[in-house]
Amino acid sequence: MAEMLGCGSFAVHCLRHESLGSHVEYIFKVKHQSGSEWEVKHRYRELLDLNNHLVAKLSTGALPLPDFPPRTGPLQSSKHPTVVDYRKQAFQKYFGVLCSRSDVTSMPRFQAALGCVPPEPVASLRVRKWIPPSQNGEGVTVLLEIQAEP
């Protein structure tokens, strides 16, 4: 998988959940340091797969990964309100720790799980306006017009 974004700061908040048939989807709000924000949905199994990938790639690192929320016990369904509420809180803590680590946030697989997409390639770039240096002599400002490839 190609690199997606430079190492950036993310904040992830578990907003709510949806019960869909036999499973639950957790809905997360993702915010990037650039100010962009969006929502992504994931089943427990998808997040467990992400965790397993991170463990495999980062197991030799100095810092251990945070604990992943455990599967349910034999007497509780994954849709039981207690389980769902516990997981929402646990996912909040889990992503809080992951998002503080640049070795994690720079990984394409992590970024893909957060719903990050690389920007469209630039088709054209044109200088719209040159603005002369300010009175204190600091650099020239340029307004650019950027058009993405169709």
Side-chain angles (χ1 to χ4, degrees):
M1 183 179 278
E3 290 227 12
M4 296 181 68
L5 298 175
C7 176
S9 268
F10 294 96
V12 178
H13 301 284
C14 190
L15 297 175
R16 60 189 180 281
H17 72 281
E18 291 179 357
S19 293
L20 301 169
S22 63
H23 68 275
V24 174
E25 286 188 341
Y26 295 90
I27 299 147
F28 299 90
K29 180 178 188 177
V30 181
K31 185 170 185 178
H32 186 261
Q33 69 182 4
S34 67
S36 297
E37 53 186 64
W38 58 92
E39 290 183 8
V40 292
K41 296 179 183 182
H42 286 293
R43 295 175 65 166
Y44 177 87
R45 178 71 203 166
E46 295 167 343
L47 296 171
L48 179 60
D49 288 345
L50 171 64
N51 182 70
N52 291 340
H53 175 80
L54 295 175
V55 167
K57 295 290 184 184
L58 301 172
S59 62
T60 59
L63 294 172
L65 289 171
D67 291 334
F68 189 78
R71 288 193 177 276
T72 58
L75 302 177
Q76 287 187 318
S77 162
S78 63
K79 293 176 69 172
H80 190 279
T82 304
V83 173
V84 171
D85 288 340
Y86 168 77
R87 283 186 178 171
K88 283 175 22 183
Q89 293 173 8
F91 283 137
Q92 187 64 52
K93 291 177 186 174
Y94 177 77
F95 279 106
V97 173
L98 291 182
C99 289
S100 70
R101 293 184 49 174
S102 62
D103 60 333
V104 174
T105 60
S106 63
M107 295 179 72
R109 176 87 181 258
F110 182 77
Q111 292 179 9
L114 295 185
C116 299
V117 293
E120 297 293 323
V122 174
S124 68
L125 179 67
R126 181 173 81 89
V127 175
R128 285 184 51 204
K129 183 176 183 181
W130 291 92
I131 301 172
S134 61
Q135 289 184 353
N136 62 6
E138 291 183 16
V140 174
T141 302
V142 178
L143 295 178
L144 299 175
E145 185 176 293
I146 301 171
Q147 186 173 25
E149 287 184 357

